[in-house]
Amino acid sequence: MAVIPTIPTNIVVHLGSPRSNARNVTVPFADYIKNVASSEIFSTWDEAAIRANILAQISFALNRVYSEWYPSQGYDFDITNDTYYDQKFIQGRNIYENISRITDDIFNDYLRRQGTVNPFFAQYCNGTTVTCPGLSQWGSQALATQGRNEVEILRYYYGDDIEIVVDAPIAENVPSYPGTPLKRDSLNEDVRRMQIYLARISGNYPAIPKIPVINGAFGQSTEDAVIAFQRIFDLEADGIIGRATWYRIINIYDAVTRLAELDAEGVKYEDLPRQFKGALKQGDVGGPVVTLQYFLTLLGQFVDFLPIIAVDGVYGPSTTAAVTAFQQYKGLPQTGAVDERTWDSLYNSYAGVADYLQEQNQLESTATEPYPGVVLRRGDVGPSVRVFKNYLAYIAQIFYDTPAVAQNNVFDLKTQNAVKEFQRNFGLPQTGQVDELTWNTIADVYSTLRAGQQRLSGQYPGYELSENG
């Protein structure tokens, strides 16, 4: 599992739409942000507005890199310069001096939601000719003239739980795919990552058998899960995790994780409108588009023919393509726009899947406690120590090399050693202390493993059953 988002030394930009036959350019990340900022906003704006916009642009780009959004779909670049999909980048343009200075100061800072690790997908638009649920560029300047600083501006648009990660580490952007296929008898951390992802995906796809032990060893149960995954997603069912299977697993893991987060973002099944409220087409923005994208996103988990799209409230080319794919799937006129007939068919399909999930009780809640706000270390006692030790105790049941800890509220030597071993496994500084990054990573792994080990009705558990159990 990728745990620590790093600032890439370089970023690969595709000079066109994702499917266009345009060339790629490799640009130092800081220079890329300077170019985007100089192309997207005005250098004459107040500094607070410029800083808020640059932080949003950094976070947007890092989200693309961190999630491997384009490589997971088979592309050989990190981001495009097509503003329908990404941010404006103009090869060879001049850079404004104050924008260059500000970028140099903050290019290794980014936004995230409190309690999360990944860079926030910081959507924005100009706020005049185009509006969206995220930051308004001209609106940010208006707030700056009122005396708001960059944090206040960002929280005005993205919510009070937005925070800035400062001085993130800088490293070469290395693709997650290890370069050689994973197969029977492979033994490494890459196998363990795939086991975790497959276990989590199986919570939404009961045809995938459970992997009983997450240990980094590619055995029979892992091969069975890989074959089942490949069959579901129309890949060669050879039981080997090559590049295509690797990125497809990552793509589906991101999708089902995103699906689990939608309710937390205020999109509730019972609150969604059932009746057609009016036609939707490319260029529309707002709540009805969010609902449409939510329908498509849920269906995309179960119908491989439908592409997975972002739920961002903007009816862009990706939403048009998803609507067109749905219309083709249902035998409707392939207009890419939503009329009453398309809406009714889409809602009925969505409701059927949602009802199925409710019948299966989906997955039990795996919500975790937020970071307590103080670093925990050997000698500490209290409820926060008990919480993270309970998480570690569960992780140790599945990770063969994580020491077991007593489920109490005392941070003793055994707890310190267990924390160090966890930090080693996940590439964290081996301090033996639980800072915010370690807490969030422990909570994330716990939540993922809990969801991954839950078994739906009739699902093969991943081991042989006998009369004795």
Side-chain angles (χ1 to χ4, degrees), residues 117-410:
V117 175
N118 56 294
F120 176 62
F121 186 68
Q123 184 187 354
Y124 61 87
C125 51
N126 65 25
T128 53
T129 58
V130 178
T131 59
C132 63
L135 179 143
S136 162
Q137 293 171 321
W138 277 103
S140 68
Q141 169 60 7
L143 292 175
T145 62
Q146 297 170 16
R148 307 276 188 105
N149 61 35
E150 60 264 35
V151 175
E152 292 170 329
I153 292 171
L154 291 166
R155 288 181 174 171
Y156 177 87
Y157 288 108
Y158 298 129
D160 291 337
D161 61 344
I162 280 291
E163 61 186 9
I164 301 174
V165 176
V166 178
D167 293 333
I170 301 170
E172 182 181 355
N173 182 25
V174 179
S176 65
Y177 178 60
T180 56
L182 305 177
K183 54 187 177 182
R184 282 293 292 269
D185 299 327
S186 294
L187 176 64
N188 53 47
E189 289 302 310
D190 294 319
V191 174
R192 179 172 3 215
R193 178 182 181 184
M194 291 293 101
Q195 289 173 328
I196 293 172
Y197 284 12
L198 284 166
R200 176 63 186 86
I201 292 167
S202 71
N204 291 80
Y205 292 90
I208 299 175
K210 292 296 183 182
I211 300 173
V213 179
I214 307 296
N215 58 6
F218 201 126
Q220 183 66 55
S221 63
T222 302
E223 185 176 76
D224 291 343
V226 171
I227 290 173
F229 177 91
Q230 290 170 326
R231 286 173 175 161
I232 291 170
F233 293 102
D234 199 26
L235 299 165
E236 181 183 358
D238 57 7
I240 297 172
I241 303 178
R243 188 179 190 278
T245 298
W246 173 279
Y247 280 116
R248 189 63 165 148
I249 289 172
I250 289 177
N251 180 264
I252 298 301
Y253 172 80
D254 288 342
V256 298
T257 303
R258 169 66 175 154
L259 178 62
E261 294 171 350
L262 286 175
D263 279 350
E265 296 180 5
V267 183
K268 302 292 185 182
Y269 173 39
E270 62 270 16
D271 295 337
L272 293 173
R274 302 185 179 206
Q275 300 301 318
F276 178 67
K277 300 293 185 180
L280 296 171
K281 62 183 184 306
Q282 186 163 311
D284 289 342
V285 297
V289 178
V290 170
T291 301
L292 167 67
Q293 292 170 329
Y294 178 64
F295 289 166
L296 291 166
T297 298
L298 181 65
L299 289 173
Q301 317 311 315
F302 293 86
V303 181
D304 188 45
F305 189 75
L306 301 180
I308 301 298
I309 60 173
V311 181
D312 57 11
V314 178
Y315 201 131
S318 60
T319 302
T320 299
V323 170
T324 302
F326 175 80
Q327 290 169 329
Q328 182 180 354
Y329 176 69
K330 286 293 186 177
L332 301 169
Q334 296 171 41
T335 63
V338 179
D339 57 9
E340 186 170 6
R341 186 180 176 192
T342 297
W343 177 272
D344 289 344
S345 180
L346 184 60
Y347 181 83
N348 290 335
S349 298
Y350 158 79
V353 171
D355 288 342
Y356 164 78
L357 290 177
Q358 287 191 337
E359 289 172 4
Q360 294 289 337
N361 294 319
Q362 284 187 299
L363 300 171
E364 69 178 73
S365 173
T366 57
T368 55
E369 296 291 328
Y371 176 62
V374 295
V375 176
L376 302 174
R377 51 178 58 86
R378 185 178 174 185
D380 288 345
V381 296
S384 295
V385 174
R386 180 183 293 276
V387 168
F388 90 78
K389 288 186 71 173
N390 287 344
Y391 296 163
L392 278 178
Y394 184 85
I395 292 169
Q397 296 176 32
I398 301 170
F399 277 36
Y400 72 100
D401 51 1
T402 297
V405 294
Q407 293 176 266
N408 56 37
N409 64 352
V410 179

Side-chain angles (χ1 to χ4, degrees), residues 14 16-22 69-70 73 75 77 80 82 85-86:
H14 186 66
S17 63
R19 295 181 181 179
S20 68
N21 187 26
W69 178 260
Y70 287 111
Q73 299 175 62
Y75 297 110
F77 49 82
T80 77
D82 189 328
Y85 300 90
D86 298 304

